[in-house]
Amino acid sequence: MTATTVKKRDRKEEPTAPVITSRIHLADGNKGGVGKSFLCRTLYQWFFDQSVPVVGIEADVNSPDFKGIYPEVAVSQFSEDENLGARANSILNTAVEAQQAVVVNLPATVHGAFQSWVNNYGIVTLAAEHQVELVKWFVITGEFDSLKSLEISLNAFGKQIPHVVVRNLKYAEWDFFDGAEELQALIQETGSQVIDLPKLPLRVASTLLQQRLSFAAGQSHQGKGFGIVEQAAVKTYLRAAYANFEKTGYLPR
């Protein structure tokens, strides 16, 4: 009896996921006053509290709240002027050379300048070649202008740069966001995640900013109207914010 040989079907190899050695975390919101730098500072503090190496970059040269509280962060700049816009190259150069996470505080109304930088230098492709991923943490308030900025960013970059939509719970009205069918469809289409940035009591948040206190310092700060209750509020805020950050999968484990 002659054995028959069964020819195995050619199997297509499953594509392997790209290896990421570092990420550039972009705190965005485009519209001023949405809580972008507040998110940036919280995200930056997460790396310190987890003892994960990180480089901070302040790109909001007109309102440098990030660098004002964390003076060790570097400075960069976005501009539609090609000569000035080239300064933003330091962001990707730093991520590649340091092989560490980079947290960037973007300025308001940066969309045009950011788009020029990405397109002029092929930033997304170049970053991928060096095993670096860009992630936009886009803060929204639920208001029309804020949601429109998110829509513009998702249409321009949502399929190239992962977005985390961050609902700033300092603002209480979210019916318009929940009912924005086209925007919700765009969020789904781009695979963007939606998380909440917890509310820190206004007086506590204002004291941290006015006194130029990091979140770490805020947990032990003693001053007029700032004691153990306010310290506990900072700790509670950080625990909730960190839990939401971590579930995105974009932070080192």
Side-chain angles (χ1 to χ4, degrees), residues 97-111:
E97 292 165 7
Q99 293 190 339
Q100 294 178 1
V102 177
V103 174
V104 184
N105 187 37
L106 295 179
T109 64
V110 73
H111 178 79

Side-chain angles (χ1 to χ4, degrees), residues 99 111 131 195 197:
Q99 293 190 339
H111 178 79
Q131 301 176 318
I195 66 169
L197 184 66

